[in-house]
Amino acid sequence: METAASRLYNRLVIIIPYAWLLLFFLAPFFIVFRISLSTTAIAIPPYEPVFSLADGWSAFWSKVATFSFDNYSYLIDDPLYFNAYLSSVTIAAVSTFLMLLIAYPIAYGMAQAPRGIRPTLLMLVILPFWTSFLIRVYSWIAILKPEGLLNQLLLSLHMIDSPLIILNTTTAVYIGIVYSYLPFMVLPLYSALEKMDGTLIEAAQDLGCTPIQAFWRVTFPLSIPGVIAGCMLVFIPAVGEFVIPDLLGGSQTLMIGKTLWNEFNANRDWPVSSAVATILLMILVIPIVFFQNAQAKAEERGR
């Protein structure tokens, strides 16, 4: 029979995550959305609020009809923002695909390695997190600049006649994103592959499958939850990335993170920057919902 203590515990298990989301997700989002409906003003902070909860709910509902979506109309009319969103999604998608191509063999090799050395291999994947993210990005400047380590190596090997221009290009942004987020792709893939039953591969080969056929018919389908989890973990933050395109991409790289920073700090246009952030969040909700649906379907198939 269920006791009062167990009922309280079951309710807390449900309430605490929702309270966490309410406090650290919905509340900040509501603040940003509120600013996006405001107008720019020469003040501190530099906007004129359209409503304040301090005035009470009656005052709030009286001002609902006066809400202005001019900031969102401005984003639609200016092609700069559309191009920034499109460029961010494209760079994030290509980077995610490149990371998947690199991370899958790494994770597969880790899962197939003897159990005694798997913790060491796992530590090597996590090792970059022990160094500051900013320092790691700055190190790529020293590697990729015209007089950097990469060009010096290629020149010494006589593979090139003149230094390559990699820094301050989109290629440098791809390198920075792939390097920085690669562990987030490797770890979910390793988790999925490490749990796989090896006897399934043996059964497939006994039934006539070649090793390659067994991989595509058994191993890869079973690792799809890890593939989806890894792709979501790297795609979502890569879309809003600011540090890497700012340091490695230069002024010519157009990504929504840099645009958002310029609007917020350089132009001091908080309402427009809040509208940019709100639309960015709406764009990222789509892959999150896709990931949740894919997980639910995977769990149903597992049953």
Side-chain angles (χ1 to χ4, degrees):
M1 183 175 180
E2 190 177 21
T3 63
S6 63
R7 288 197 299 269
L8 177 61
Y9 175 79
N10 292 333
R11 291 177 182 176
L12 286 177
V13 169
I14 298 174
I15 292 174
I16 291 176
Y18 280 101
W20 180 274
L21 290 175
L22 178 64
L23 182 62
F24 293 103
F25 179 76
L26 290 180
F29 172 75
F30 177 77
I31 294 172
V32 171
F33 181 69
R34 170 177 170 268
I35 297 175
S36 71
L37 301 177
S38 306
T39 56
T40 306
I42 302 177
I44 300 177
Y47 68 92
E48 183 179 349
V50 291
F51 65 89
S52 175
L53 293 180
D55 298 333
W57 286 105
S58 58
F60 168 77
W61 290 114
S62 65
K63 292 184 178 181
V64 169
T66 64
F67 286 175
S68 174
F69 292 89
D70 292 342
N71 294 318
Y72 294 93
S73 300
Y74 174 72
L75 298 183
I76 296 174
D77 295 336
D78 193 335
L80 170 67
Y81 300 99
F82 175 79
N83 293 332
Y85 283 118
L86 182 61
S87 176
S88 298
V89 172
T90 302
I91 291 175
V94 173
S95 300
T96 301
F97 178 72
L98 293 175
M99 273 183 273
L100 180 61
L101 293 181
I102 297 172
Y104 203 104
I106 296 174
Y108 185 80
M110 292 170 58
Q112 297 299 316
R115 290 189 177 274
I117 66 172
R118 289 182 190 178
T120 303
L121 297 175
L122 191 61
M123 185 195 68
L124 292 176
V125 172
I126 302 174
L127 193 62
F129 289 116
W130 296 3
T131 306
S132 170
F133 171 76
L134 194 59
I135 293 176
R136 286 186 280 131
V137 175
Y138 268 114
S139 67
W140 276 105
I141 298 178
I143 295 173
L144 299 178
K145 62 184 180 180
E147 64 276 13
L149 298 176
L150 178 61
N151 279 307
Q152 293 299 322
L153 176 63
L154 295 178
L155 287 170
S156 64
L157 296 175
H158 302 288
M159 298 180 65
I160 57 175
D161 297 326
S162 59
L164 300 175
I165 305 301
I166 303 176
L167 191 63
N168 298 328
T169 64
T170 305
T171 301
V173 176
Y174 284 130
I175 293 174
I177 292 177
V178 170
Y179 166 77
S180 300
Y181 291 103
L182 186 62
F184 292 105
M185 181 69 80
V186 173
L187 294 177
L189 288 172
Y190 169 74
S191 177
L193 291 169
E194 194 268 341
K195 296 176 182 178
M196 190 180 64
D197 188 358
T199 59
L200 297 176
I201 302 296
E202 296 178 2
Q205 292 178 345
D206 289 341
L207 293 174
C209 285
T210 63
I212 296 178
Q213 290 175 332
F215 172 80
W216 286 112
R217 294 185 179 184
V218 179
T219 304
F220 186 77
L222 292 176
S223 67
I224 286 179
V227 172
I228 295 175
C231 290
M232 293 299 102
L233 283 174
V234 300
F235 176 79
I236 292 173
V239 171
E241 181 59 51
F242 161 71
V243 174
I244 294 174
D246 185 59
L247 295 179
L248 300 182
S251 59
Q252 300 300 319
T253 303
L254 184 62
M255 290 190 71
I256 199 62
K258 288 182 61 178
T259 304
L260 178 60
W261 186 91
N262 289 330
E263 290 291 347
F264 192 85
N265 291 284
N267 299 337
R268 299 285 293 173
D269 195 339
W270 286 23
V272 170
S273 61
S274 298
V276 171
T278 301
I279 294 179
L280 177 60
L281 182 61
M282 294 296 102
I283 293 175
L284 295 180
V285 163
I286 297 174
I288 292 174
V289 172
F290 170 77
F291 173 56
Q292 290 178 336
N293 291 336
Q295 274 193 325
K297 292 179 179 178
E299 291 178 358
E300 291 179 0
R301 288 195 299 267
R303 294 173 185 174

Tab-separated table of all heavy atoms in Angstrom, residues 122-133 135-136:
chain	number	residue	atom	x	y	z
A	122	LEU	N	38.479	6.644	-22.918
A	122	LEU	CA	37.425	7.581	-22.548
A	122	LEU	C	38.008	8.841	-21.917
A	122	LEU	O	37.555	9.956	-22.185
A	122	LEU	CB	36.454	6.903	-21.589
A	122	LEU	CG	35.138	7.627	-21.293
A	122	LEU	CD1	34.325	7.805	-22.562
A	122	LEU	CD2	34.336	6.842	-20.254
A	123	MET	N	39.037	8.679	-21.097
A	123	MET	CA	39.678	9.830	-20.474
A	123	MET	C	40.346	10.716	-21.525
A	123	MET	O	40.321	11.950	-21.428
A	123	MET	CB	40.709	9.369	-19.454
A	123	MET	CG	41.348	10.504	-18.675
A	123	MET	SD	42.844	10.017	-17.804
A	123	MET	CE	43.954	9.707	-19.180
A	124	LEU	N	40.930	10.103	-22.551
A	124	LEU	CA	41.570	10.882	-23.612
A	124	LEU	C	40.555	11.720	-24.378
A	124	LEU	O	40.876	12.820	-24.849
A	124	LEU	CB	42.314	9.947	-24.562
A	124	LEU	CG	43.539	9.236	-23.982
A	124	LEU	CD1	44.120	8.266	-25.009
A	124	LEU	CD2	44.588	10.247	-23.546
A	125	VAL	N	39.334	11.208	-24.510
A	125	VAL	CA	38.286	11.980	-25.184
A	125	VAL	C	37.859	13.156	-24.328
A	125	VAL	O	37.619	14.263	-24.832
A	125	VAL	CB	37.084	11.061	-25.503
A	125	VAL	CG1	35.911	11.886	-26.035
A	125	VAL	CG2	37.478	10.001	-26.509
A	126	ILE	N	37.768	12.937	-23.025
A	126	ILE	CA	37.309	13.978	-22.107
A	126	ILE	C	38.426	14.972	-21.772
A	126	ILE	O	38.158	16.095	-21.330
A	126	ILE	CB	36.760	13.342	-20.810
A	126	ILE	CG1	35.614	12.376	-21.139
A	126	ILE	CG2	36.265	14.379	-19.830
A	126	ILE	CD1	35.101	11.595	-19.958
A	127	LEU	N	39.671	14.597	-22.014
A	127	LEU	CA	40.818	15.403	-21.610
A	127	LEU	C	40.762	16.864	-22.072
A	127	LEU	O	41.149	17.754	-21.300
A	127	LEU	CB	42.110	14.741	-22.108
A	127	LEU	CG	43.425	15.254	-21.523
A	127	LEU	CD1	43.447	15.022	-20.023
A	127	LEU	CD2	44.606	14.563	-22.194
A	128	PRO	N	40.318	17.180	-23.306
A	128	PRO	CA	40.267	18.595	-23.706
A	128	PRO	C	39.416	19.470	-22.795
A	128	PRO	O	39.654	20.680	-22.701
A	128	PRO	CB	39.687	18.530	-25.128
A	128	PRO	CG	40.057	17.189	-25.623
A	128	PRO	CD	39.988	16.290	-24.430
A	129	PHE	N	38.417	18.891	-22.115
A	129	PHE	CA	37.573	19.685	-21.236
A	129	PHE	C	38.341	20.184	-20.012
A	129	PHE	O	37.850	21.055	-19.291
A	129	PHE	CB	36.364	18.868	-20.777
A	129	PHE	CG	35.361	18.612	-21.856
A	129	PHE	CD1	35.105	17.327	-22.286
A	129	PHE	CD2	34.685	19.656	-22.454
A	129	PHE	CE1	34.181	17.081	-23.290
A	129	PHE	CE2	33.761	19.421	-23.457
A	129	PHE	CZ	33.504	18.142	-23.881
A	130	TRP	N	39.511	19.642	-19.768
A	130	TRP	CA	40.302	20.086	-18.623
A	130	TRP	C	40.989	21.419	-18.902
A	130	TRP	O	41.578	22.002	-17.997
A	130	TRP	CB	41.353	19.027	-18.273
A	130	TRP	CG	40.766	17.726	-17.817
A	130	TRP	CD1	39.438	17.400	-17.753
A	130	TRP	CD2	41.463	16.568	-17.368
A	130	TRP	NE1	39.269	16.119	-17.298
A	130	TRP	CE2	40.487	15.575	-17.049
A	130	TRP	CE3	42.802	16.252	-17.196
A	130	TRP	CZ2	40.831	14.316	-16.586
A	130	TRP	CZ3	43.146	15.000	-16.732
A	130	TRP	CH2	42.172	14.039	-16.427
A	131	THR	N	40.952	21.862	-20.142
A	131	THR	CA	41.545	23.132	-20.537
A	131	THR	C	40.429	24.105	-20.896
A	131	THR	O	39.396	23.709	-21.433
A	131	THR	CB	42.485	22.952	-21.741
A	131	THR	OG1	43.441	21.940	-21.447
A	131	THR	CG2	43.199	24.242	-22.076
A	132	SER	N	40.642	25.370	-20.625
A	132	SER	CA	39.644	26.393	-20.914
A	132	SER	C	39.258	26.387	-22.389
A	132	SER	O	40.116	26.280	-23.278
A	132	SER	CB	40.175	27.774	-20.530
A	132	SER	OG	39.330	28.797	-21.017
A	133	PHE	N	37.954	26.491	-22.641
A	133	PHE	CA	37.454	26.526	-24.014
A	133	PHE	C	38.072	27.688	-24.774
A	133	PHE	O	38.464	27.559	-25.943
A	133	PHE	CB	35.931	26.642	-23.989
A	133	PHE	CG	35.304	26.910	-25.322
A	133	PHE	CD1	35.181	25.908	-26.259
A	133	PHE	CD2	34.834	28.176	-25.649
A	133	PHE	CE1	34.604	26.141	-27.504
A	133	PHE	CE2	34.262	28.420	-26.876
A	133	PHE	CZ	34.145	27.405	-27.806
A	135	ILE	N	40.966	29.199	-24.279
A	135	ILE	CA	42.384	28.943	-24.565
A	135	ILE	C	42.524	27.993	-25.744
A	135	ILE	O	43.391	28.166	-26.607
A	135	ILE	CB	43.084	28.371	-23.317
A	135	ILE	CG1	43.133	29.434	-22.216
A	135	ILE	CG2	44.483	27.878	-23.652
A	135	ILE	CD1	43.710	28.937	-20.926
A	136	ARG	N	41.655	26.986	-25.811
A	136	ARG	CA	41.726	26.024	-26.919
A	136	ARG	C	41.416	26.692	-28.251
A	136	ARG	O	42.026	26.366	-29.273
A	136	ARG	CB	40.768	24.864	-26.658
A	136	ARG	CG	41.270	23.905	-25.581
A	136	ARG	CD	40.375	22.702	-25.442
A	136	ARG	NE	39.191	22.990	-24.662
A	136	ARG	CZ	37.959	22.697	-25.017
A	136	ARG	NH1	37.728	22.112	-26.177
A	136	ARG	NH2	36.940	22.973	-24.237
